[in-house]
Amino acid sequence: TSLKKRDDALHFLANRGWSAVSEDFFNSLAGYLGKTLEMDYVLLGKLNESGKSVETIALYSHGKLVPNITYKLSGTPCDNIIGKEMCVYPKGIREKIPNDKLLVELQAESCVGVPLFDSKRKPIGILAVLHTKPLTNFETINSIFNIFAISAGAEFERKKWEDALRESEYFFKESQKAAFIGSYKTNFTTGLWESSEILDQIFGIDKNYSRNIQSWLNIVHPDDREMINSY
């Protein structure tokens, strides 16, 4: 029943939703929706910076995950969904949107899609299901989409910030390599410190080196130890 599937959706989020790896969440969600809603296709797509195309992060087709694709929004059902509201094509979608070659290729007959937003209500993606037959379970789809749209949007935003952080860390590390400088941070409550990869190279230590105050002083030139210890 619709209520049972809604409860199952909440259970899915509670037990598997917040994966440590975003890709696992999106792939699991696409597979879950495809099987639960008995849909031929499920796609989770992110809006590219140009705002003119969508790149899928998870794509489900006839019972399995398939390689992701990028497609232009113009002339597709997604163009009517991104940044707007839920859009429903219960049947005859190919006749209503005749210029979408992907719909023809998939032999899609029906479609339901919802826009995904970030915390500032900025459009960031789409969640959609397509079927080769007319819709008969819109009530269930609507109920479950209302549950997952917010969670998927939040996960999209989290992944975006993680990617940005990863990129920033990469360039920081590359800058240290180029300049041959290192960095460290010390917790004076625990008396322990951490060091960057380049600083380890400069000091001639590895990951197994004990990182406490005394070990730091052991690295310092004997003539400077008293001054550094006071500092």
Side-chain angles (χ1 to χ4, degrees):
T1 65
S2 178
L3 182 60
K4 175 64 167 59
K5 289 183 177 180
R6 188 174 187 277
D7 289 342
D8 288 344
L10 292 171
H11 182 75
F12 170 87
L13 277 181
N15 289 275
R16 299 184 62 188
W18 302 110
S19 168
V21 182
S22 294
E23 286 77 5
D24 291 345
F25 170 80
F26 293 128
N27 287 335
S28 295
L29 178 56
Y32 174 83
L33 290 176
K35 295 174 182 177
T36 300
L37 301 178
E38 299 177 346
M39 287 287 157
D40 293 320
Y41 305 100
V42 180
L43 70 86
L44 280 148
K46 66 176 181 178
L47 185 64
N48 286 351
E49 291 185 5
S50 66
K52 296 181 180 180
S53 61
V54 164
E55 176 186 350
T56 63
I57 290 182
L59 187 58
Y60 171 94
S61 173
H62 294 286
K64 62 182 181 180
L65 294 168
V66 296
N68 287 307
I69 61 173
T70 299
Y71 60 94
K72 294 181 179 179
L73 286 172
S74 180
T76 71
C78 296
D79 198 20
N80 299 326
I81 300 170
I82 291 287
K84 300 174 184 177
E85 57 186 20
M86 178 180 285
C87 193
V88 182
Y89 295 90
K91 62 179 180 179
I93 189 172
R94 295 199 306 278
E95 289 75 20
K96 295 176 181 177
I97 309 179
N99 295 326
D100 190 340
K101 296 180 180 179
L102 183 61
L103 294 178
V104 176
E105 181 181 338
L106 299 180
Q107 290 295 297
E109 176 66 18
S110 56
C111 172
V112 178
V114 291
L116 303 179
F117 298 93
D118 63 15
S119 56
K120 297 181 180 179
R121 290 296 295 174
K122 179 182 178 182
I124 55 174
I126 184 174
L127 168 61
V129 294
L130 299 95
H131 201 44
T132 54
K133 299 177 181 178
L135 287 181
T136 58
N137 59 342
F138 172 69
E139 180 182 349
T140 301
I141 295 174
N142 181 52
S143 177
I144 290 180
F145 267 31
N146 286 332
I147 293 174
F148 285 120
I150 296 177
S151 297
E155 192 66 8
F156 264 66
E157 187 171 25
R158 184 172 79 95
K159 184 178 186 304
K160 177 182 177 181
W161 287 113
E162 283 181 347
D163 290 344
L165 178 61
R166 192 176 297 112
E167 183 178 16
S168 176
E169 289 176 342
Y170 168 78
F171 282 111
F172 177 69
K173 182 180 292 186
E174 291 302 304
S175 298
Q176 288 200 340
K177 286 182 180 179
F180 201 61
I181 58 175
S183 59
Y184 74 95
K185 62 180 180 179
T186 302
N187 184 326
F188 287 105
T189 301
T190 63
L192 301 177
W193 51 278
E194 300 176 32
S195 54
S196 68
E197 181 181 338
I198 300 302
L199 190 64
D200 287 353
Q201 292 182 24
I202 295 172
F203 284 166
I205 61 177
D206 58 24
K207 293 181 179 180
N208 296 321
Y209 188 78
S210 178
R211 286 167 170 76
N212 53 47
I213 300 300
Q214 184 58 52
S215 69
W216 176 269
L217 293 175
N218 291 341
I219 295 173
V220 177
H221 190 280
D223 294 347
D224 297 324
R225 284 177 186 166
E226 184 177 350
M227 180 267 292
I228 291 295
N229 190 41
S230 298
Y231 168 76

